[in-house]
Amino acid sequence: MVRGAAKQQAREKNQKLAASKAGGVSQLKARAAGLPIVCPSCKGPMAGYKILVQHMESKHPGAAVPDEASFK
Ligand SMILES: [Zn+2]
């Protein structure tokens, strides 16, 4: 019983992997084409625009926060 469940889980995992590989290429390309969000002051990578705004307010007060549209 346990073995069968493990096999089933492995199969589902493989299917998910195959699916992500099949559909992942275009996503990767889109990500590579898009500009990554980096802090203009210290070049640190930011997970999102809101994080960048918070980062700049705390680390670089007075520095101009770039427009969100410039990252899209
Ligand atoms: Zn910074």
Side-chain angles (χ1 to χ4, degrees):
M1 232 3 217
V2 174
R3 260 195 181 190
K7 258 188 191 174
Q8 176 68 23
Q9 277 187 347
R11 197 184 298 160
E12 280 173 12
K13 205 177 179 184
N14 282 339
Q15 278 175 348
K16 272 184 195 166
L17 257 177
S20 69
K21 270 184 191 168
V25 177
S26 59
Q27 272 186 347
L28 274 178
K29 270 186 188 167
R31 203 175 291 174
L35 285 170
I37 295 186
V38 295
C39 171
S41 293
C42 70
K43 307 294 179 196
M46 301 294 140
Y49 180 73
K50 278 179 186 169
I51 308 233
L52 170 69
V53 173
Q54 283 174 1
H55 164 88
M56 290 204 69
E57 279 172 357
S58 64
K59 302 283 181 186
H60 319 291
V65 179
D67 199 60
E68 185 175 9
S70 64
F71 293 109
K72 285 183 177 170

